[in-house]
Amino acid sequence: MQDTLVVYFSASGTTKRAAETLAKLLGADIAPLQPVEAYSQQYDQIVARGEQEKDQDSRPALEPLSVNLKQYRTIYVGFPTWWSQPPQVIDTFFETVHLADKLIVPFTTSMTSTINDSWATLQQLATTAQASLQPGLTANSTAAIREFIQ
């Protein structure tokens, strides 16, 4: 039984590519986090919506996952970093999905931020979800992903 899952939120496709690389290298299953209301494909509209969600501390609703989390022990959670934090969709995931006793390994894609910028938020989310948080990675390249998992 596969016990590792890669879940990710990607608005532009960058985090999706990183998640696919990570899942392939780990031999893990993969599942997207899909908001009920899809994000625009237009960069300016993505930014405006993300900023509004951040400012309002909203929790965008997610479609049900395509997998049953009960079979997984380790869950890699990927996201783009927005304003030095995970998008609000990640808060929704941690707050609405049963993650108790799971090992969470976060990864981000960002041109200006690292996973360390999101660490305090991720710790709080994991603690509330009763999950364990393992240090993660900034997954901007296949080389960085390979180095992390070795």
Side-chain angles (χ1 to χ4, degrees):
M1 178 189 294
Q2 174 62 266
D3 73 343
T4 303
L5 174 67
V6 175
V7 297
Y8 68 91
F9 167 69
S10 185
S12 69
T14 302
T15 305
K16 178 183 179 183
R17 288 187 294 279
E20 290 170 342
T21 299
L22 185 59
K24 182 178 178 182
L25 292 172
L26 290 169
D29 293 339
I30 188 169
L33 297 175
Q34 298 176 314
V36 169
E37 182 184 331
Y39 282 76
S40 169
Q41 296 300 305
Q42 301 299 316
Y43 178 77
D44 291 343
Q45 291 177 6
I46 293 170
V47 170
R49 177 175 169 185
E51 188 168 29
Q52 180 182 29
E53 289 172 350
K54 174 186 66 76
D55 291 347
Q56 294 175 355
D57 197 27
S58 65
R59 300 297 186 268
L62 290 171
E63 296 287 349
L65 283 174
S66 60
V67 297
N68 182 346
L69 290 182
K70 289 181 182 179
Q71 72 186 57
Y72 301 101
R73 167 74 182 113
T74 303
I75 302 173
Y76 285 75
V77 179
F79 53 88
T81 298
W82 295 349
W83 298 278
S84 300
Q85 295 300 311
Q88 295 303 120
V89 166
I90 299 302
D91 293 58
T92 302
F93 174 70
F94 274 88
E95 293 172 4
T96 62
V97 175
H98 182 74
L99 297 172
D101 301 320
K102 304 290 185 188
L103 176 63
I104 305 297
V105 184
F107 67 97
T108 189
T109 54
S110 174
M111 296 306 293
T112 58
S113 297
T114 69
I115 195 67
N116 295 333
D117 295 330
S118 300
W119 193 250
T121 298
L122 293 165
Q123 282 182 311
Q124 181 179 25
L125 291 169
T127 298
T128 301
Q130 299 179 341
S132 299
L133 188 64
Q134 178 177 312
L137 74 147
T138 304
N140 288 337
S141 69
T142 300
I145 295 168
R146 284 182 199 267
E147 182 178 325
F148 179 81
I149 62 174
Q150 289 181 1

